[in-house]
Amino acid sequence: MASTLPIGATTLLRQSPFLFFLLSRSLSRFSSQIAAVAIGWQIYDMTGRAFDLGMVGLIQFLPTALLVFVAGSAADRYRRRRVVQFCQLLEALTALYLCWGSYAGFLTEAQLFAATFVLGIAGAFESPATAALLPLIAPTGTLQRASALSSGAAQLATIAGPALGGFAYAVAPGLPYGIMVVFWLAGMVFTGAIDVMDEPSAEEHASSKDLFAGVRFIRDNPAILGTSSLDLFAVLFGGVTALLPIYARDILEAGPFGLGILRAAPAVGALLMTAVLARHTISRHVGLRMFQAVMIFGAATVVFAFSHWMWLSVAALAILGAADTVSVVIRFSLVQIATPNEMRGRVGAVNFLFINASNQLGQFESGVTAALLGTVPAAVLGGAATVAIALLWMKLFPSLRRVERLE
């Protein structure tokens, strides 16, 4: 698989291991997005309480926080394909139970929450193992391009998955879960077809000290610590997703359809940037480019905050999504290249926790700030804080700013 020659996106997609990886990850992401819509709608339909919708996100996040070290260790101790396959099988069986319960009409709110918790456990193990697989199958010199294509596939699922889930639920409550079963089982087959070299194979028992090796590795590497913490704090303060319903109804007066457009805009921008990065990788000043992307993310948030025009709001969100993709691709590539193969699972698990924490806590922060200061001031403050954090991190982590190349 290794190659020293430049490989384009089209050639990379013809590489069987990478193609199978992309199909497996895409199907899992589609299923997760369908689950978010179907479970959320079904629970709200049962109870009519908005609080329960928030509980869905919290219950799914808890396994990540509780199992972060165990999940990372599993990705480094066992064959990563097998870890991913086992998780996809568990997810498929959970979806099968939800499908059966929906058609039979016996599902309760407690059962839906329990299924959500199981899906959260599977996701906590699947994500670090999947992330650690990519550097093993991307030919030498193509990790940035491979990361961009993988990110684009995830964004496509983010755009189309909720729509597919909503349409399927409208046909029958059990149908989206049936689709999830098929997708996860197909993903499991594709995962098994990935030809991976240098996977960890010794199923050795890790000591407690080994479980925390990922934290120590990040702490002792300023570039990785700066990268991970930048993602945590930038998204924590800069996210406006939680405020989109308020903007759609009260500020832009765009209604539910407008809300759908606003939610899709960042993913569309991200998908377009993915197409650019897949063809033209960032070859110089990558550390500086990452900080610039975060600052553009914050500036676009401020523009969105002040906008009273639908077209400008959509454009700002699309730019925000594009800038975030640049940052994500560089951050992922930096971390994977700087991390030894035997440590990628544990380091990836900690990063996954940071990402999930920033998304979940970011929504909470936006809601609380909006309640205290108002919607527009909250969004402006979040965008400005993101720019300030990027500038501060450039001072705190000069080695990260000076990173010249990824590969």
Side-chain angles (χ1 to χ4, degrees):
M1 286 299 298
S3 172
T4 57
L5 297 176
I7 295 180
T10 303
T11 305
L12 186 57
L13 287 170
R14 291 181 184 144
Q15 303 278 336
S16 312
F18 179 72
L19 181 59
F20 290 141
F21 171 87
L22 204 61
L23 289 170
S24 172
R25 185 172 190 268
S26 299
L27 289 168
S28 277
R29 188 61 177 259
F30 258 101
S31 295
S32 297
Q33 293 295 319
I34 293 171
V37 171
I39 292 176
W41 188 279
Q42 196 164 19
I43 284 180
Y44 189 68
D45 193 41
M46 283 181 178
T47 69
R49 294 190 299 265
F51 175 78
D52 291 334
L53 294 177
M55 287 297 295
V56 172
L58 178 61
I59 289 173
Q60 197 159 17
F61 170 70
L62 280 177
T64 303
L66 297 174
L67 300 172
V68 54
F69 301 114
V70 177
S73 178
D76 287 334
R77 290 164 54 200
Y78 305 112
R79 293 191 180 276
R80 288 157 185 162
R81 284 178 302 167
R82 298 296 176 251
V83 174
V84 174
Q85 281 187 301
F86 181 80
C87 292
Q88 289 171 323
L89 177 61
L90 179 60
E91 289 162 333
L93 291 175
T94 305
L96 181 62
Y97 177 80
L98 291 173
C99 179
W100 173 42
S102 295
Y103 278 114
F106 64 76
L107 277 184
T108 64
E109 181 186 6
Q111 289 171 327
L112 283 167
F113 281 140
T116 300
F117 190 75
V118 173
L119 292 177
I121 292 174
F125 281 86
E126 183 180 357
S127 184
T130 300
L133 269 177
L134 184 56
L136 299 179
I137 60 177
T140 303
T142 66
L143 183 57
Q144 184 186 161
R145 184 171 279 117
S147 299
L149 290 171
S150 179
S151 176
Q155 293 297 338
L156 183 61
T158 301
I159 297 170
L164 177 59
F167 175 78
Y169 192 92
V171 174
L175 182 58
Y177 302 124
I179 295 173
M180 289 157 53
V181 173
V182 174
F183 279 10
W184 265 317
L185 290 179
M188 188 175 68
V189 173
F190 286 126
T191 302
I194 299 173
D195 183 17
V196 183
M197 295 185 295
D198 301 326
E199 266 202 286
S201 57
E203 300 187 3
E204 301 171 351
H205 294 286
S207 66
S208 316
K209 187 176 180 181
D210 289 330
L211 292 178
F212 301 98
V215 176
R216 293 197 309 275
F217 183 83
I218 291 175
R219 182 196 62 196
D220 296 337
N221 288 267
I224 297 181
L225 177 61
T227 299
S228 300
S229 57
L230 177 65
D231 175 71
L232 173 63
F233 288 104
V235 177
L236 176 64
F237 290 107
V240 293
T241 303
L243 304 180
L244 290 184
I246 302 175
Y247 270 90
R249 190 187 69 178
D250 300 334
I251 297 175
L252 300 173
E253 298 180 350
F257 180 72
L259 175 59
I261 294 175
L262 292 175
R263 283 193 174 276
V268 171
L271 196 58
L272 292 174
M273 180 54 69
T274 294
V276 174
L277 293 178
R279 294 181 61 87
H280 308 286
T281 58
I282 302 170
S283 58
R284 296 186 60 193
H285 308 307
V286 293
L288 182 60
R289 297 290 178 264
M290 182 185 68
F291 283 114
Q292 290 171 338
V294 174
M295 286 187 278
I296 292 172
F297 179 96
T301 301
V302 174
V303 171
F304 172 80
F306 282 120
S307 173
H308 284 73
W309 297 282
M310 186 66 178
W311 66 268
L312 180 59
S313 299
V314 171
L317 289 173
I319 293 172
L320 178 154
D324 187 49
T325 295
V326 174
S327 177
V328 166
V329 168
I330 293 176
R331 289 199 309 266
F332 179 85
S333 301
L334 274 174
V335 171
Q336 295 300 324
I337 290 171
T339 305
N341 178 46
E342 65 273 11
M343 289 284 298
R344 283 178 177 144
R346 283 165 287 183
V347 172
V350 176
N351 275 323
F352 182 56
L353 175 63
F354 280 4
I355 292 169
N356 270 19
S358 62
N359 287 329
Q360 298 290 338
L361 296 179
Q363 292 184 19
F364 176 73
E365 180 273 334
S366 295
V368 171
T369 308
L372 294 174
L373 304 178
T375 302
V376 174
V380 172
L381 182 62
T386 299
V387 175
I389 287 168
L391 293 172
L392 177 60
W393 257 237
M394 289 177 69
K395 297 291 185 181
L396 294 176
F397 300 96
S399 61
L400 180 57
R401 184 185 72 245
R402 290 193 295 265
V403 173
E404 182 68 15
R405 298 178 184 276
L406 286 174
E407 300 173 277

